[in-house]
Amino acid sequence: MPPRHLYIHVPFCARRCSYCDFSIAVRARTPVEEYISALRTELATGVVEGSTLDTVYLGGGTPSRLGGPGVAEVLSSVRSRATIAADAEITIEANPDDVNDVAVAQWAVAGVNRVSLGSQSFDDSVLEWMHRTHDSRQIAQAVKALKRGGISNFSLDLIFALPDTLKRSWERDLTLALDLEPAHVSLYGLTVEAHTPIARWRDRGAVVEGTEDAYAEEFLLADESMAKAGFEHYEVSNFSRPGKASRHNSAYWTGARYAGIGPSAHSFDGSTRCWNVPAYSEWVRRLTAGESVTGGEERLTPGNRDAEEVYLGLRTLNGLHIDKTELETVTRWVEAGWASLADRVLRLTPNGWLRLDSLAADLVARRTGRPHEVLGATPSHCYI
C-alpha cells in the first residue's frame, strides 16, 4: 500500500546549535531553487506516487529558511505527485526569528496548518549557550504572528536537564511556555552527541549536562505542570491539549508506513527501513547524476519486530498488550509505580518513562529469550 505519511528533510540552518548532530547544511544564503529542483527529481522516482497523504511534515534543519514561497513550492511539488487529503495535518518546523506575518500568511495559503516552533528556552543566556539564532522576545512575537495568521495549532520545543552552571530556571521556562497557550509541547532532555560543540566542550573538561537526579526532577515537574494546565502526556517527550497530538509523529509510534525525501530522510514500507545519504551536497550530486540517493537499509527480522512492538508500545499512552507469562514481571513494575495495568494493557507512568530503555530491554529479553538492543524503532529525525 502507498504510504500515507511523508517527511521532507530541509537541512538548511544559519548556524549549528551546540547540541545538534542532525544532518544539516549551514548556509548564509539558502539555495532554495537548487533544493526544490533536487526534491522534484527525488519525487519523480515515485516515492509517493498514487498516495493520499494524511500527514506531511517539513523538518530539519530549519524548513522556515525556505521562506513562504519556498515552502509553497515544496508542497506544490508534492501535490504534483500525490494527493494531500483535505483534512491532512501539514506541519513545518520553524525558528522564531523566521516567523512573521508575511511568512505565516504564505504558509497558510500553501496549506500549512501546524507549526513546530524551536523555542528551546526563554532564558537569553541559555539560548546564546545553545547557539540559537533567536532570543526569548522573538518567541512571543512568533506566536503572536502565528495566531494573527490563523495558525493556532502550534507546538513549542523546550530542552531540559541543562548544566547547573547556566542557572536556568526550568519552572520559569515551563510557565512562560504555557502562558503562550500552545496546543502542543515537546520536551527533550539534553544529551551529548559525538562531534557536536558541547561534546568538544565536555572533552575539554566543561560541565555540559545536568545530573541524573536533576533530569528526573525536571521531567517529573514538567509532567505535573502540563497536567495541571490540561495537557495529556501522550508520549514520553510529548504533551498535547485534547485532540492536538502530533498525527505525523504518532504514525511512527504505531508502526505505520511512511515515506521520506531529502538528505538523511527515512522511509518504511512495513518490512524494510531505508534512509537517504545524509550530506546535502552528495544528495544533490546523486540526483543530478541520476543515481540512487539511498544510503542504507535494514530489513526487519522477527526479533526486530518484537523489539519495536515493545519499545513503541511502552513509549506512548497506547500501551502494550501483555501475555499471561509476563504478568509476574510487569506486576512488579506496577507495584514500584512505574506502570499501570488494565485489561492486560501495560502503560508506563512518568516514573516508568524515566526507565524506558531498561524496562523495554528487559521485556524484549523475556519475549525472545535473549538480550536485544532496540534499533531503528523511529527514524533519526523523530526525537526520542
Side-chain angles (χ1 to χ4, degrees), residues 304-320:
N304 293 144
R305 291 181 181 279
D306 288 340
E308 293 196 5
E309 179 186 358
V310 169
Y311 187 71
L312 294 175
L314 291 183
R315 69 179 291 161
T316 75
L317 275 187
N318 290 334
L320 178 71

Side-chain angles (χ1 to χ4, degrees), residues 119 121 123-132 134-136:
S119 309
S121 177
D123 186 315
D124 285 340
S125 63
V126 169
L127 292 172
E128 184 178 354
W129 181 83
M130 291 179 175
H131 291 175
R132 299 295 294 174
H134 70 275
D135 59 31
S136 57

Side-chain angles (χ1 to χ4, degrees), residues 78-205:
V78 172
R79 290 187 176 96
S80 71
R81 296 289 176 175
T83 299
I84 298 179
D87 63 345
E89 175 192 86
I90 304 178
T91 302
I92 176 175
E93 291 181 352
N95 277 355
D97 44 317
D98 290 331
V99 181
N100 55 58
D101 290 329
V102 173
V104 172
Q106 291 170 332
W107 295 343
V109 168
V112 173
N113 52 27
R114 184 175 183 272
V115 172
S116 178
L117 202 61
S119 309
Q120 315 312 353
S121 177
F122 290 84
D123 186 315
D124 285 340
S125 63
V126 169
L127 292 172
E128 184 178 354
W129 181 83
M130 291 179 175
H131 291 175
R132 299 295 294 174
T133 57
H134 70 275
D135 59 31
S136 57
R137 176 182 53 86
Q138 289 172 303
I139 301 173
Q141 290 177 338
V143 167
K144 289 177 182 177
L146 290 172
K147 290 180 177 180
R148 283 195 298 266
I151 302 180
S152 59
N153 188 9
F154 66 92
S155 178
L156 298 178
D157 288 354
L158 293 175
I159 296 179
F160 67 97
L162 301 179
D164 289 340
T165 52
L166 292 176
K167 302 185 184 304
R168 189 270 292 268
S169 170
W170 178 232
E171 184 174 6
R172 175 178 178 272
D173 267 5
L174 290 171
T175 298
L176 291 175
L178 290 172
D179 285 347
L180 295 177
E181 301 180 329
H184 187 281
V185 177
S186 296
L187 307 178
Y188 307 113
L190 181 70
T191 57
V192 179
E193 305 292 348
H195 311 301
T196 60
I198 59 172
R200 294 192 292 274
W201 300 344
R202 179 196 59 191
D203 294 343
R204 293 199 297 262

Side-chain angles (χ1 to χ4, degrees), residues 319-335:
L320 178 71
H321 190 271
I322 296 299
D323 186 79
K324 286 183 179 180
T325 61
E326 298 165 332
L327 286 175
E328 182 179 351
T329 295
V330 301
T331 296
R332 292 198 297 270
W333 298 0
V334 173
E335 293 172 349

Side-chain angles (χ1 to χ4, degrees), residues 215-257:
Y215 186 106
E217 181 180 336
E218 293 188 358
F219 180 79
L220 295 175
L221 176 61
D223 174 77
E224 180 183 356
S225 301
M226 292 291 162
K228 287 181 180 178
F231 284 75
E232 181 181 52
H233 196 170
Y234 73 98
E235 191 270 344
V236 60
S237 297
N238 289 279
F239 303 77
S240 74
R241 296 194 184 278
K244 297 300 182 179
S246 168
R247 289 164 53 190
H248 184 84
N249 285 343
S250 293
Y252 297 143
W253 303 323
T254 57
R257 302 178 184 207

